[in-house]
Amino acid sequence: MNPQMIEFLLKRRSVKPTNMGAPGPGADELQTILKIAARVPDHKKLAPWRFIVFEGEGRNRLGDVLAEALVAEEKERPSDFRIESERKRPLDAPLVVAVVSKVTPNVPGAPEWEQILSAGASCYNLCLAANAHGYATNWLTGWYSFSPTVKAKLGLSETERFAGFVYVGTAKSIPEERDRPDMAKIVMRF
């Protein structure tokens, strides 16, 4: 048994990106974090996920894509304030990683649902790996994860979609604990 790992997992928390700042992971740390994110259940070794890393100026380019998508997809032109808020969204954390779910259809022994779950496991492993390095994380989807404009601008194929955007940085303050599920209500013994 590894009591430190148990304690780490019991205390793991998401941190709002607006409560993150620098520093973010360095190049070597990021490489390790992404290796761990790719070390998830993956029947038939399909690697049904990939990563798009936004750091430095890349976060500004992502912000431009979000602002453009918002204007293109809203029925009425959004306020300048909302457009600018979306443009600045990726700047909340020093690192944003998009996890892209890519499904290969009709693979015996690797149903589409399992491939999608593998991408979700990759998001969570990315969070745990960054947390283990001492960084705060938040795995988000938000409107932009479902935006056809964002999908096109970031080069996703027809068989790909965003599993989420993982924000990584240093917590400015420790988040308050939140209520957790009552285990008696969510565990059934058969």
Side-chain angles (χ1 to χ4, degrees):
M1 182 170 113
N2 184 333
Q4 290 143 335
M5 182 174 279
I6 300 289
E7 187 67 17
F8 165 76
L9 292 170
L10 283 170
K11 290 186 174 181
R12 192 215 66 82
R13 273 299 319 255
S14 293
V15 174
K16 292 179 181 179
T18 54
N19 192 29
M20 291 182 197
D28 290 342
E29 289 175 313
L30 179 57
Q31 187 65 22
T32 300
I33 289 166
L34 294 174
K35 279 184 181 179
I36 293 168
R39 195 174 177 92
V40 294
D42 173 14
H43 295 153
K44 303 298 180 185
K45 301 176 187 170
L46 298 173
W49 21 253
R50 63 184 179 90
F51 310 109
I52 304 172
V53 176
F54 304 94
E55 54 191 344
E57 186 58 32
R59 296 173 306 141
N60 287 315
R61 289 191 296 275
L62 174 58
D64 290 341
V65 168
L66 298 185
E68 181 181 334
L70 181 69
V71 171
E73 295 173 13
E74 291 285 315
K75 290 179 183 177
E76 295 182 21
R77 181 174 168 77
S79 70
D80 289 344
F81 176 80
R82 179 144 184 247
I83 294 168
E84 208 46 39
S85 293
E86 293 302 333
R87 187 181 316 280
K88 290 180 180 176
R89 179 187 295 275
L91 302 178
D92 286 339
L95 172 69
V96 180
V97 178
V99 179
V100 178
S101 171
K102 55 180 195 159
V103 171
T104 305
N106 305 316
V107 177
E112 290 182 22
W113 178 239
E114 287 185 6
Q115 294 178 53
I116 294 166
L117 290 172
S118 183
S122 182
C123 289
Y124 191 58
N125 253 23
L126 196 157
C127 289
L128 290 177
N131 295 154
H133 278 83
Y135 297 105
T137 59
N138 200 313
W139 168 12
L140 298 171
T141 50
W143 69 270
Y144 48 98
S145 290
F146 307 98
S147 162
T149 304
V150 174
K151 183 177 174 178
K153 292 282 185 181
L154 296 183
L156 274 65
S157 73
E158 288 299 316
T159 61
E160 294 179 316
R161 62 183 166 189
F162 294 109
F165 289 76
V166 178
Y167 290 72
V168 182
T170 299
K172 294 177 186 174
S173 63
I174 298 170
E176 292 181 24
E177 185 56 51
R178 66 173 181 84
D179 291 338
R180 299 294 172 171
D182 178 347
M183 297 306 291
K185 293 181 180 176
I186 63 169
V187 177
M188 175 184 146
R189 290 192 169 38
F190 187 76

